[in-house]
Amino acid sequence: MTLQVSNNVTAIGKMDAPIFDPHAFRLNDEQAAIIARARELGQTVFAARAAAYDRDATFPIENYRDMHRAGLLGISISKKHGGLGAGYQTYALAAAEIGRYCGATALTWNMHVCSTLWSGPLADDLDMDAATRDLHESRRAIHYRRIIDDGAIYSQPFSEGGAAAAGGVAFGTAARPVEGGWLVNGKKIFASLAGHADYYGVLCTETAEGEKASRRNTLYLAIPSDAEGVSVVGDWDPLGMRGTVSRTLLFKDVFVPEDAALMPRGVYFQAAMRWPHMFLTLSPTYMGLAQAAYDFTVHYLRGEVPGTPPVKRRMYPTKQIAVAQMQIKLEQIKAIWFQAVTEACAHPSKEQVLRAYAAQYSVMEGANELTTLAIRTCGGQSMLRSLPLERLYRDSRCGSLMLPWTAELCLDRIGREALYESGETDD
Ligand SMILES: Cc1cc2nc3c(=O)[nH]c(=O)nc-3n(C[C@H](O)[C@H](O)[C@H](O)COP(=O)(O)OP(=O)(O)OC[C@H]3O[C@@H](n4cnc5c(N)ncnc54)[C@H](O)[C@@H]3O)c2cc1C
């Protein structure tokens, strides 16, 4: 598919280099082309729109229409189903490029893409008997067709305000089995794309009458946004990531047919145990924000940022040291993150899991550190709302809060899992 992009190159009048140079990071031509497609769309189209979505806290629906035309809504759908067939690493690198230009688009795109990544390549790695796999194949084809043909948008409302999204207990949203499907009741908070997704990919617990809720019985259901009993409530006026429109979703006796399952019974629980990198996919957005903070600083100090006087500040040693510190931090983040998204797989080793937590922590905290340094280094004029840096700062602050791998929980897990082998106690 040929990508139509405008000539509105926003930053300094030329196309940005990729965050991860395909040659240096040993990406093949197909990967490089998909990632370049995301970068071009981000730089030439999304960057100019980002301020308005942020200011008005509105969903970037125009960007989604463009991503559909560019084939990016189906980035991780297999070629056999009409998608681009990108694996985990390619998707993550493309998402970082989008995040560089519009954080809210990248973060919400992640929720959409994960619906296909988890039901696609991840599910292929998990145990299913032949009949279940056949059934899953026919069901996911329905979802994929809607995305490819109609540009359908999927979201991932998991959070409920309790311990479930952190992985501690079963989801409170309940799916009671009935003839032909389930009746779903519950509430999801921080539901990005609320009111804009066509399908909400809801995690809920299948619980028969009188049965105790168990995480093993987690279901992952694509509930149509226009199904009877679905409503969006509350307002959305946050510090950052304003374009995600993460309002509250309510489900009241919503009938969901069996073919709405994005994964067969028991497979989500298996994925959470065996494919832990599935929870690292919120980080690419923030990898992009980290790069954007660095890019802005370099352009600003060189007197190249449009809308600012062409005053160079690069000759001051303090500025040079600050940029050096930012560059070192950025390369550290890139290195650990690239390794983690490259080695993502089923049944990772303990070392790979610890590295995934460390990568998530490094990106989420590091992106905000870089935007903070950028503002301090560039100075007062750089944080005016007419420039993107203050938005990068606010958006980047949200990274550490994303469950299940918040910065705090990553520290908890690294400390515990480094010091204890599975099942080990001090008794
Ligand atoms: C911009 C944005 C978009 C979002 N989009 C989505 C979305 O699309 N779908 C979705 O499901 N969620 C989404 N979230 C929600 C996000 O993943 C978190 O669920 C939400 O930020 C949690 O807020 P809380 O105050 O309820 O957290 P709490 O559960 O109260 O936790 C507060 C903090 O306590 C710590 N904590 C929590 N549990 C434990 C524990 N068991 N042990 C130790 N420490 C713990 C964590 O560090 C956490 O940050 C979004 C959040 C933001 C900010």
Side-chain angles (χ1 to χ4, degrees):
M1 175 179 297
T2 321
L3 175 63
Q4 297 294 320
V5 290
S6 79
N7 291 324
N8 176 24
V9 178
T10 46
I12 56 163
K14 62 176 191 198
M15 291 305 295
D16 290 333
I19 304 175
F20 294 92
D21 174 70
H23 178 69
F25 287 88
R26 297 180 178 84
L27 305 173
N28 65 35
D29 290 348
E30 192 178 359
Q31 291 182 292
I34 293 173
I35 297 161
R37 196 184 286 199
R39 180 168 46 83
E40 284 170 22
L41 198 53
Q43 185 176 356
T44 59
V45 184
F46 298 174
R49 293 176 182 161
Y53 297 133
D54 173 64
R55 185 190 59 231
D56 303 336
T58 49
F59 184 72
I61 191 71
E62 296 83 359
N63 292 353
Y64 273 77
R65 299 295 170 242
D66 289 334
M67 287 197 285
H68 179 222
R69 275 190 287 276
L72 291 173
L73 291 189
I75 185 171
S76 288
I77 294 177
S78 66
K79 290 181 186 168
K80 142 177 113 169
H81 288 107
L84 298 183
Y88 187 104
Q89 185 207 41
T90 310
Y91 159 65
L93 298 173
E97 293 291 357
I98 299 277
R100 200 173 173 185
Y101 304 103
C102 182
T105 299
L107 195 60
T108 51
W109 186 46
N110 174 69
M111 320 301 181
H112 168 85
V113 173
C114 280
S115 312
T116 63
L117 196 61
W118 294 5
S119 60
L122 259 77
D124 291 346
D125 280 347
L126 300 170
D127 295 339
M128 285 181 231
D129 61 41
T132 308
R133 201 171 289 286
D134 285 350
L135 187 64
H136 178 55
E137 178 64 19
S138 63
R139 284 180 179 166
R140 67 183 176 182
I142 299 171
H143 299 292
Y144 297 168
R145 190 89 342 262
R146 288 176 186 147
I147 293 171
I148 301 290
D149 290 351
D150 310 329
I153 304 170
Y154 282 59
S155 73
Q156 282 196 320
F158 297 179
S159 301
E160 298 180 337
V169 298
F171 286 96
T173 300
R176 186 162 60 80
V178 292
E179 183 72 34
W182 300 272
L183 270 190
V184 173
N185 281 283
K187 172 180 164 182
K188 296 287 180 181
I189 65 166
F190 279 101
S192 290
L193 303 98
H196 299 279
D198 300 293
Y199 295 88
Y200 300 124
V202 172
L203 286 185
C204 47
T205 310
E206 185 174 39
T207 324
E209 202 70 47
E211 199 185 22
K212 203 165 165 287
S214 159
R215 287 168 59 213
R216 289 182 181 281
N217 298 332
T218 303
L219 289 177
Y220 182 24
L221 304 178
I223 302 184
S225 57
D226 59 1
E228 206 179 324
V230 176
S231 56
V232 181
V233 299
D235 57 6
W236 177 248
D237 189 12
L239 170 80
M241 290 294 179
R242 294 170 56 80
T244 61
V245 190
S246 307
R247 296 171 66 199
T248 298
L249 282 178
L250 299 179
F251 301 98
K252 173 96 184 84
D253 290 333
V254 181
F255 174 73
V256 183
E258 277 168 2
D259 67 6
L262 281 160
M263 281 178 164
R265 275 192 177 88
V267 175
Y268 174 82
F269 182 72
Q270 224 193 104
M273 298 295 122
R274 299 184 182 175
W275 234 107
H277 291 75
M278 69 190 285
F279 300 122
L280 183 63
T281 57
L282 293 158
S283 64
T285 298
Y286 296 88
M287 181 67 250
L289 292 174
Q291 179 71 46
Y294 175 79
D295 292 344
F296 180 93
T297 307
V298 169
H299 294 317
Y300 189 87
L301 296 179
R302 287 169 57 86
E304 294 173 341
V305 172
T308 59
V311 178
K312 292 188 174 64
R313 296 169 180 86
R314 66 183 177 189
M315 62 294 279
Y316 304 119
T318 43
K319 305 293 179 204
Q320 293 173 9
I321 289 172
V323 169
Q325 287 171 331
M326 289 179 73
Q327 208 274 344
I328 292 166
K329 180 91 200 162
L330 183 66
E331 288 297 340
Q332 288 170 340
I333 295 171
K334 282 173 63 175
I336 190 172
W337 184 79
F338 187 84
Q339 177 62 26
V341 301
T342 302
E343 67 188 356
C345 62
H347 307 287
S349 67
K350 173 176 167 172
E351 184 195 352
Q352 288 174 316
V353 175
L354 292 182
R355 187 158 42 242
Y357 297 145
Q360 169 96 350
Y361 181 92
S362 302
V363 172
M364 298 312 207
E365 291 288 85
N368 191 244
E369 283 169 34
L370 282 172
T371 59
T372 305
L373 259 175
I375 291 179
R376 193 191 74 185
T377 306
C378 296
Q381 291 181 61
S382 72
M383 56 98 210
L384 297 174
R385 283 198 192 269
S386 53
L387 298 175
L389 185 55
E390 64 85 32
R391 186 183 74 249
L392 299 177
Y393 177 73
R394 288 183 288 104
D395 284 354
S396 67
R397 187 59 277 168
C398 299
S400 306
L401 314 179
M402 309 298 299
L403 286 170
W405 286 9
T406 65
E408 288 181 341
L409 284 167
C410 286
L411 289 176
D412 267 9
R413 287 172 187 229
I414 294 170
R416 192 173 55 245
E417 293 174 31
L419 292 170
Y420 290 83
E421 294 304 327
S422 176
E424 214 178 7
T425 67
D426 291 317
D427 301 333

